[in-house]
Amino acid sequence: MLYAAGGGGGAGGFTPILMIALLFGVMYFMMIRPQQKRRREAEAMQSALSAGDEVVTIGGLYGTVTGVDDDTVLLEVAPGVQARYARPAIARVVSRVERPAEPVTEDADAVKE
């Protein structure tokens, strides 16, 4: 009698597994993948830092980059006051310094003509 009330069918055991797989798929595309993209963008921004860039740290401190090392960034937070921060502590770049374009070298043969 209890077996008949349970509504028999072999496909009923597959549905919960499908729902769990669907849940993990949604979590991946809604949470994990965007977070990985933000992390890659932050790493690219931190590796492109150079002297003269104005930045904001994760603590909210504004400063100008005066020196860059492998793991650290030297910031000038006030005239004559410098502080050293880890690269991951830089949250965003406020403004970048215009870097001159590389000069175009002409061919030696073209110059003679």
Side-chain angles (χ1 to χ4, degrees):
M1 179 158 221
L2 292 176
Y3 180 72
F14 184 67
T15 304
I17 294 172
L18 182 64
M19 293 300 288
I20 290 172
L22 184 64
L23 179 66
F24 279 116
V26 168
M27 284 179 51
Y28 175 77
F29 283 106
M30 297 295 286
M31 295 171 55
I32 297 170
R33 194 165 173 229
Q35 181 63 29
Q36 289 175 344
K37 182 181 176 186
R38 281 191 295 270
R39 189 185 75 236
R40 280 192 302 268
E41 290 172 351
E43 287 174 356
M45 179 268 306
Q46 291 164 356
S47 66
L49 289 174
S50 64
D53 292 345
E54 292 183 31
V55 297
V56 178
T57 65
I58 57 175
L61 183 73
Y62 284 78
T64 304
V65 177
T66 57
V68 179
D69 196 4
D70 289 338
D71 299 330
T72 60
V73 176
L74 192 62
L75 295 181
E76 184 174 20
V77 294
V81 179
Q82 294 185 346
R84 187 169 49 182
Y85 285 88
R87 273 187 191 252
I90 305 300
R92 65 184 168 101
V93 176
V94 176
S95 65
R96 290 203 181 271
V97 171
E98 287 290 325
R99 289 168 184 76
E102 295 201 16
V104 177
T105 57
E106 296 180 14
D107 239 4
D109 295 333
V111 173
K112 291 180 184 178
E113 293 177 14

